[in-house]
Amino acid sequence: VDPSGPENDRYLREAGLSEGPLIAAWSTLAKASRVEEVRAFPGFDRLMCLAENKDGSPRHPLYANNALSAKPWRHTPLRERT
């Protein structure tokens, strides 16, 4: 499965142009190259998250406390996993 196909990128770009919040939630499994690619989309400099994992990646909501509020995500570049 390719989660970063052209349809997905189109929806992400549209979201980046909207005025609503952008919540990052890809957790620890995202490839560093894909994270950087998405962060380069217009508007994605304002990404938020509910919490961060130990490696600095945005925690998936399934694993976050439901009482959390979105906060700005302080991006830490990830190293590519091998």
Side-chain angles (χ1 to χ4, degrees):
V1 175
D2 179 13
S4 56
E7 280 292 299
N8 195 26
D9 283 357
R10 181 172 65 87
Y11 288 114
L12 288 171
R13 289 178 188 278
E14 286 177 13
L17 297 175
S18 73
E19 293 187 23
L22 294 173
I23 309 294
W26 49 76
S27 196
T28 60
L29 300 178
K31 292 183 177 182
S33 57
R34 178 61 178 161
V35 171
E36 294 306 320
E37 183 180 329
V38 170
R39 287 193 70 249
F41 290 170
F44 277 71
D45 55 335
R46 59 186 170 87
L47 277 174
M48 301 179 83
C49 68
L50 297 176
E52 294 178 5
N53 295 305
K54 288 181 182 179
D55 69 353
S57 61
R59 187 169 298 158
H60 191 281
L62 182 62
Y63 304 106
N65 184 319
N66 63 0
L68 295 173
S69 298
K71 64 178 185 172
W73 178 48
R74 51 180 182 82
H75 170 64
T76 303
L78 301 174
R79 289 182 292 151
E80 203 66 61
R81 291 168 184 81
T82 55

